[in-house]
Amino acid sequence: MVDLSIKLAGIDLKSPLVLASGTAGYGVELASICGYSGLGAVTLKSLTIMPRPGNRSPRVWETTGGMLNSIGLENAGVDAFLSDFLPQLNELGVPLIVSIAGETAGEYALLARRISGAPGSIVAIEVNVSCPNVEKGGLMFGAEPQASGAVTSAVVENTGLPVFTKLSASVFDIVRIAEAVAAAGASGLSLINTLPGMAINPVTGYPRLGTVSGGLSGPAIKPVAVKAVWDCYRATGLPVIGGGGVYNALDVVEFMRAGATAVSIGTATFQNPCRFEQIACELPDIMNRTGALRPADLVGSVKV
Amino acid sequence: MNGAVKLSGRCGRCRISRSDKVAGSIHLVELEIRDCPVDLERPRPGQFFQVKCADGPEHILRRPLSVHGITQWDEPGHSLELLVEDVGWGTHRLCSLSVGSEVELLGPLGRGFEMPRAGKALLVAGGMGIAPLFFMAREMDHVDAGYDLVAGFKSGDCAYAPLACLKGGGVLCTEDGSAGEKGTAVGKAAGYMERSVYSMIYVCGPEAMMAEMSRLAEKADIPCQVSLVSRMACGIGVCRGCARPGRNGDNLCVCREGPVFDSTRVEWICVQ
Ligand SMILES: Cc1cc2nc3c(=O)[nH]c(=O)nc-3n(C[C@H](O)[C@H](O)[C@H](O)COP(=O)(O)OP(=O)(O)OC[C@H]3O[C@@H](n4cnc5c(N)ncnc54)[C@H](O)[C@@H]3O)c2cc1C
Ligand SMILES: Cc1cc2nc3c(=O)[nH]c(=O)nc-3n(C[C@H](O)[C@H](O)[C@H](O)COP(=O)(O)O)c2cc1C
Ligand code: FES
């Protein structure tokens, strides 16, 4: 019998499957279609201090094996989240990873304090320093080892919760950034955010997205994500929430082999809101075929 | 139409029981609900389904399509009609599927049109806007509500509006006059508004046409409901991909709060 439970930076989760930030809203919407059995945790849409309206429309475009988005961190702001959504989420009982995004290290610190003081199901903070769709913050920090480290320590110093810094693979040397984040005290890494991309309507000449370019996600980016997980896992040994293009249980095992302790499902949820449940059903069988009894047996087990 | 509604959507596989080309690149696709494992909720006019046009990881997003009709919903063997214009990969694939093929649906989703409480309504459709408004007209026929339907198209080869099977009054018009009367939907609607009194106007069509129609309605002080179009990823309110600006500085979540909105909430934009 395969046991799907994992320990992620000290947190006990009943499954390695995690919903990716921005693809599961505030966590309450999907619950009314699927329920959350088979899920380890839900990562919520990145929160900022003030509400953000996000970018101009159109914001999504399908590409071969994936999609571009330019949502631009639209969210209700941390206060509205704590008062309007957290109580409902606490009732659902699913562990929550709260993603935060700011324009300065100080904003990240403030967000960390607000989140840490909140009661209930929050088990970790994810620090988004890798959003390609905002002018300030985002990749401005994530592309720089020093800035990524500074933001991470600002959060670590202001919370008792485990901190996962979410990195972009669209950088010169992701390992240096991962090492800086590890040195700053991160409990783990979350890999990867969307990759910058662009599409143009060849006939009219207009870009497909209102913001001209956006972030690419979905199966098309999986090989990039697997390499990022393997490189960062090997270099830092930190627990990794790995993902980018996960579509089925085979992909989940592939990410575990690359070094992921937990695996995130993002864009695949748009094809089927209950995809994570299907993956959770398929996973024990795939694990059986590898001989693994629990996810931990597979982490970093690529034969190189 | 304010605020969020609880999701009524569910997933289910249905079988195509009919697929006919009805005009140009427009297909009428009928889906049989009988073998669908989930009891789909009865759709209301203006609601839509997220249709999975193919399995597999190559095409990851579903396509939003309005409900065009339902038959014998409360009896076994009931079915759902979609009116699909082949404009790209997903709609092309859906139009090419043969009878007997299975399609996965998520829905019915979103908020539809509110039925008028009294008086006569004016329904104004531009192009594929006929898909939800024809369903609206048929539902109004059920409750003997009075209406006129204006269905405008560019030309006769892309015109589909079998007005004869409706109880209400109506006109089909084309911009080049190649079918029905010559003229635009807005032009014809303006004429109807001069001749009759309407308590409500329902609009679905291209952005510029809906903008113009809501301006007319607001000037005449008639409540106007518009069904917006937006590119979607999830269709269920989790990704914010469909959001577009509202007139009060707010964002309109088209898939969840809409696609039907009171025209006074909408900030009209130029979409490519
Ligand atoms: C609520 C709602 C209801 C709709 N109802 C119907 C309907 O009943 N019948 C019908 O034929 N169409 C309807 N549409 C439009 C339909 O969803 C798009 O035509 C379809 O998604 C295009 O997919 P594709 O793969 O064929 O085209 P793609 O190859 O993805 O794109 C082809 C062209 O279609 C445009 N397009 C892509 N997605 C959308 C979209 N979501 N809305 C509008 N244009 C889009 C693109 O900008 C592009 O120019 C509706 C859209 C919405 C939002
Ligand atoms: C529509 C959309 C919105 C997203 N919003 C966020 C966000 O707010 N914060 C964040 O850290 N990542 C965000 N992401 C990135 C995802 O969490 C994920 O890292 C990425 O999409 C790759 O995984 P996938 O291929 O499984 O989707 C978003 C992705 C998509 C498609
Ligand atoms: S399409 Fe995802 S929120 Fe509307």
Side-chain angles (χ1 to χ4, degrees), chain A:
Chain A
M1 251 301 271
V2 170
D3 169 12
L4 285 185
S5 66
I6 61 161
K7 211 173 194 53
L8 175 71
I11 320 160
D12 288 310
L13 299 179
K14 69 175 181 193
S15 155
L17 304 180
V18 168
L19 296 183
S21 178
T23 63
Y26 296 108
V28 292
E29 302 89 343
L30 283 175
S32 65
I33 309 189
C34 316
Y36 279 140
S37 61
L39 198 64
V42 180
T43 315
L44 305 175
K45 174 87 201 149
S46 293
L47 294 170
T48 50
I49 293 178
M50 299 301 287
R52 277 181 67 98
N55 289 329
R56 57 184 291 205
S57 169
R59 296 173 168 191
V60 290
W61 179 252
E62 189 185 75
T63 60
T64 309
M67 65 176 281
L68 288 167
N69 90 78
S70 58
I71 311 296
L73 298 184
E74 176 181 345
N75 77 99
V78 67
D79 290 334
F81 164 73
L82 293 175
S83 60
D84 301 350
F85 294 101
L86 189 59
Q88 294 179 60
L89 285 164
N90 284 338
E91 269 173 41
L92 290 174
V94 66
L96 305 174
I97 301 174
V98 175
S99 170
I100 57 173
E103 291 182 2
T104 61
E107 284 190 10
Y108 281 95
L110 186 61
L111 284 160
R113 274 204 299 277
R114 298 295 321 261
I115 300 296
S116 313
S121 316
I122 301 171
V123 296
I125 293 182
E126 188 170 276
V127 184
N128 180 359
V129 288
S130 42
C131 180
N133 293 324
V134 289
E135 274 173 20
K136 291 191 205 143
L139 263 176
M140 207 174 76
F141 297 115
E144 282 287 319
Q146 220 184 343
S148 302
V151 168
T152 301
S153 52
V155 175
V156 169
E157 283 159 18
N158 283 283
T159 185
L161 292 165
V163 174
F164 289 81
T165 303
K166 182 164 178 183
L167 304 184
S168 167
S170 181
V171 292
F172 177 63
D173 186 355
I174 194 171
V175 167
R176 278 188 54 214
I177 296 169
E179 283 169 346
V181 161
S187 327
L189 302 169
S190 178
L191 303 164
I192 60 172
N193 212 315
T194 56
L195 300 172
M198 177 170 169
I200 303 167
N201 182 329
V203 177
T204 66
Y206 286 106
R208 297 292 193 179
L209 297 176
T211 49
V212 181
S213 66
L216 182 68
S217 62
I221 72 168
K222 196 183 68 172
V224 178
V226 170
K227 175 162 163 49
V229 169
W230 168 238
D231 287 348
C232 293
Y233 169 78
R234 198 168 43 158
T236 66
L238 282 181
V240 173
I241 304 172
V246 171
Y247 187 76
N248 56 29
L250 286 166
D251 299 331
V252 171
V253 171
E254 186 177 354
F255 271 98
M256 290 171 172
R257 292 234 189 244
T261 299
V263 178
S264 69
I265 301 165
T267 302
T269 299
F270 301 153
Q271 195 187 55
N272 186 340
C274 309
R275 169 125 266 141
F276 68 87
E277 282 187 324
Q278 295 173 348
I279 295 180
C281 290
E282 294 165 9
L283 192 55
D285 187 45
I286 307 287
M287 285 177 55
N288 264 328
R289 281 160 56 189
T290 68
L293 294 176
R294 60 187 69 79
D297 299 342
L298 285 164
V299 177
S301 66
V302 54
K303 293 169 183 157
V304 286

Side-chain angles (χ1 to χ4, degrees), chain B:
Chain B
M1 282 158 287
N2 290 304
V5 277
K6 192 171 156 49
L7 278 177
S8 54
R10 299 284 297 274
C11 275
R13 288 187 87 84
C14 302
R15 185 172 317 127
I16 296 183
S17 46
R18 217 182 105 196
S19 178
D20 297 327
K21 185 166 160 174
V22 291
S25 49
I26 304 171
H27 288 241
L28 185 72
V29 180
E30 187 189 70
L31 296 154
E32 203 177 46
I33 311 290
R34 187 170 47 201
D35 296 334
C36 184
V38 172
D39 281 336
L40 293 178
E41 204 173 278
R42 186 183 212 276
R44 291 186 304 276
Q47 284 192 304
F48 67 97
F49 280 87
Q50 278 280 69
V51 181
K52 191 159 124 189
C53 298
D55 291 318
E58 290 82 10
H59 288 277
I60 206 87
L61 300 185
R62 292 173 180 240
R63 301 296 192 267
L65 293 165
S66 306
V67 178
H68 178 57
I70 55 178
T71 40
Q72 299 170 319
W73 197 262
D74 304 315
E75 295 163 36
H78 58 299
S79 60
L80 176 78
E81 279 171 15
L82 304 174
L83 194 64
V84 190
E85 185 180 14
D86 175 350
V87 295
W89 186 87
T91 49
H92 180 71
R93 156 101 203 192
L94 192 60
C95 293
S96 334
L97 289 175
S98 48
V99 169
S101 310
E102 286 200 339
V103 174
E104 203 182 286
L105 298 181
L106 173 67
L109 300 170
R111 272 177 190 240
F113 296 107
E114 273 167 24
M115 280 284 172
R117 282 191 201 92
K120 196 173 177 185
L122 180 61
L123 280 54
V124 191
M128 289 309 290
I130 192 66
L133 284 177
F134 200 81
F135 181 33
M136 180 68 178
R138 285 201 273 193
E139 292 288 278
M140 289 176 82
D141 283 345
H142 273 304
V143 294
D144 284 320
Y147 64 89
D148 290 318
L149 169 64
V150 176
F153 299 92
K154 279 222 144 45
S155 66
D157 55 14
C158 60
Y160 174 75
L163 298 176
C165 62
L166 296 176
K167 289 188 199 163
V171 64
L172 185 152
C173 59
T174 52
E175 284 172 27
D176 62 3
S178 56
E181 295 181 14
K182 186 170 174 12
T184 64
V186 175
K188 292 287 165 204
Y192 272 83
M193 286 167 72
E194 274 168 24
R195 291 190 297 274
S196 294
V197 177
Y198 296 103
S199 59
M200 181 71 99
I201 299 180
Y202 301 96
V203 192
C204 186
E207 181 90 2
M209 172 261 179
M210 289 198 285
E212 183 61 16
M213 218 32 244
S214 5
R215 205 182 52 79
L216 285 183
E218 283 164 40
K219 213 168 108 197
D221 212 15
I222 305 172
C224 177
Q225 295 182 13
V226 293
S227 182
L228 298 183
V229 161
S230 188
R231 280 204 220 125
M232 293 183 179
C234 70
I236 53 173
V238 300
C239 75
R240 310 304 291 180
C242 63
R244 45 176 283 168
R247 207 175 288 181
N248 311 319
D250 52 345
N251 262 354
L252 308 178
C253 181
V254 176
C255 72
R256 191 123 193 247
E257 297 173 302
V260 176
F261 292 91
D262 191 292
S263 69
T264 56
R265 287 192 68 199
V266 180
E267 176 75 37
W268 298 102
I269 46 174
C270 242
V271 278
Q272 289 110 33

